[in-house]
Amino acid sequence: MSVLLDKRLVVVMGKGGVGRTTVAAALGLAAARAGKRVMIAEVAQQERLSRVFRREGVGYSETELADNFYVMSVDPQHALDEYLGRQIPGPLSGALLHNRIFEYFVAAAPGVRELTTIGKVWELAQLDRKYGSTARYDLVILDAPASGHGLAMLQSPRTFGEIARVGPIRRRADMIHEFLSDPARTGVVSVALPQEMPVSETIEFRDRLHAEMDIDVDAVIVNQLLPERFTIEEAEQIEAVNGDHGSDDVAAALRAAISEHRHARTQRTQLRRLKKEVGEVVTLPYLWDPELALEDYERLADELERKLA
């Protein structure tokens, strides 16, 4: 935990629906407990964490939700406006931003949104910030898009640097790429569910990240792991009852117990497959609440502190 949270930026990646935001929040709470000033950078205007803390409309502002715990929704258009406003001061900046041809270019050029987003996240992680607020954070945690889009976002600085070749865009792109590929400053956490497709995608993402960017995954976290409530012998005894108990309620309870047991065993099979490919993984329990509250994130932070110690 200390090695991971001593970095300047931690990027939380994973397939859609695996709980990236949950893990990012739990990591952030754990870091805040350790006395670090933490920024969670959400993308695509999600603003999920603000709802957990009963705060609405955080948007493109650096908002403190709890002691040492900040959140911001990084909008690429706002980030682009902010960057160009610094590069081209005065009325010319506004004229360019509202020029229809320029708007078409930004919309059509591949990777512009990814570059402006990761550029803003990089700026948040700097000790000496030159854009936006002058607030300084000990750790920035990026709740990244789903794996494919997230990888494209990490690759965008190098891609644009190669296109630009010279000038301020090339220099900025090179600085961002160097920062992202430096394991002392940037870490990557890959989140999975103990299911076949998320496990396969986690393995593929780790291999692609290393092959295409020479970046290694620092930790793999498996979310929503069901408890093993019964041994195989106990499950066989439950199945042997076969409805001979005279109660519909009992029958429903036994069917639910067997269903969960089978699901938990299937999860362990996928967990073993993932461990075989990537080595050690960290697991987080399945929480039964339909919508997680702050105390649930605190519990998951406890789990991460204990298992990443």
Side-chain angles (χ1 to χ4, degrees):
M1 175 68 83
S2 61
V3 172
L4 187 64
L5 300 187
D6 279 345
K7 299 179 187 293
R8 301 289 311 144
L9 171 65
V10 171
V11 183
V12 179
M13 310 282 286
K15 180 179 173 63
V18 299
R20 297 186 308 276
T21 300
T22 299
V23 170
L27 281 171
L29 288 171
R33 289 176 182 176
K36 292 182 179 294
R37 183 181 169 98
V38 183
M39 164 60 72
I40 307 292
E42 296 182 291
V43 297
Q45 299 179 326
Q46 296 179 81
E47 297 194 38
R48 295 173 181 169
L49 291 182
S50 60
R51 293 192 292 272
V52 173
F53 286 82
R54 294 179 173 84
R55 293 284 297 275
E56 297 294 338
V58 169
Y60 196 78
S61 61
E62 300 169 32
T63 305
E64 186 175 18
L65 298 182
D67 290 343
N68 287 329
F69 188 88
Y70 294 75
V71 68
M72 179 180 189
S73 178
V74 179
D75 175 67
Q77 186 61 51
H78 277 84
L80 180 62
D81 293 353
E82 185 178 88
Y83 173 69
L84 290 179
R86 294 284 180 169
Q87 296 298 314
I88 313 172
L92 181 59
S93 172
L96 178 62
L97 289 172
H98 295 93
N99 181 281
R100 182 167 295 180
I101 296 176
F102 181 74
E103 290 176 353
Y104 285 155
F105 165 75
V106 171
V112 170
R113 296 177 66 86
E114 289 83 1
L115 179 64
T116 55
T117 299
I118 197 65
K120 179 59 182 180
V121 173
W122 167 81
E123 190 270 329
L124 287 168
Q126 300 308 297
L127 296 175
D128 182 19
R129 298 177 61 188
K130 294 181 172 59
Y131 306 102
S133 170
T134 58
R136 175 175 165 178
Y137 301 101
D138 300 309
L139 173 67
V140 174
I141 299 176
L142 171 60
D143 179 12
S147 297
H149 291 95
L151 183 58
M153 181 178 291
L154 295 180
Q155 292 173 326
S156 62
R158 184 177 63 185
T159 300
F160 267 78
E162 292 171 350
I163 294 172
R165 296 185 179 274
V166 295
I169 293 180
R170 174 59 187 261
R171 290 193 296 272
R172 183 177 172 89
D174 285 348
M175 286 190 294
I176 297 172
H177 175 70
E178 181 184 357
F179 186 91
L180 294 176
S181 57
D182 180 1
R185 292 182 288 177
T186 300
V188 176
V189 171
S190 184
V191 183
L193 294 180
Q195 300 170 5
E196 183 176 1
M197 287 299 294
V199 165
S200 296
E201 188 159 327
T202 299
I203 296 169
E204 179 186 357
F205 168 73
R206 185 201 62 155
D207 293 343
R208 286 188 61 192
L209 186 67
H210 182 79
E212 297 176 20
M213 296 194 67
D214 197 26
I215 295 176
D216 294 322
V217 172
D218 293 81
V220 176
I221 297 177
V222 174
N223 196 22
Q224 299 184 19
L225 187 68
L226 288 167
E228 289 189 289
R229 301 184 189 277
F230 311 109
T231 64
I232 295 177
E233 292 75 15
E234 289 170 339
E236 290 174 348
Q237 291 173 2
I238 293 173
E239 289 187 282
V241 174
N242 195 29
D244 297 332
H245 38 65
S247 169
D248 291 341
D249 290 339
V250 172
L254 294 179
R255 286 195 300 271
I258 290 300
S259 176
E260 183 186 319
H261 170 74
R262 290 171 178 167
H263 191 183
R265 289 197 65 191
T266 300
Q267 285 190 341
R268 263 60 184 190
T269 298
Q270 294 302 323
L271 185 61
R272 287 193 295 271
R273 181 166 76 94
L274 182 60
K275 287 182 176 180
K276 183 178 180 181
E277 293 290 336
V278 306
E280 190 59 44
V281 303
V282 174
T283 61
L284 290 176
Y286 186 94
L287 301 183
W288 299 94
D289 298 317
E291 186 170 344
L292 299 187
L294 181 56
E295 55 267 25
D296 297 312
Y297 289 98
E298 295 280 5
R299 176 185 170 188
L300 295 176
D302 294 339
E303 291 278 335
L304 290 178
E305 287 177 338
R306 181 171 60 87
K307 293 180 176 178
L308 285 173

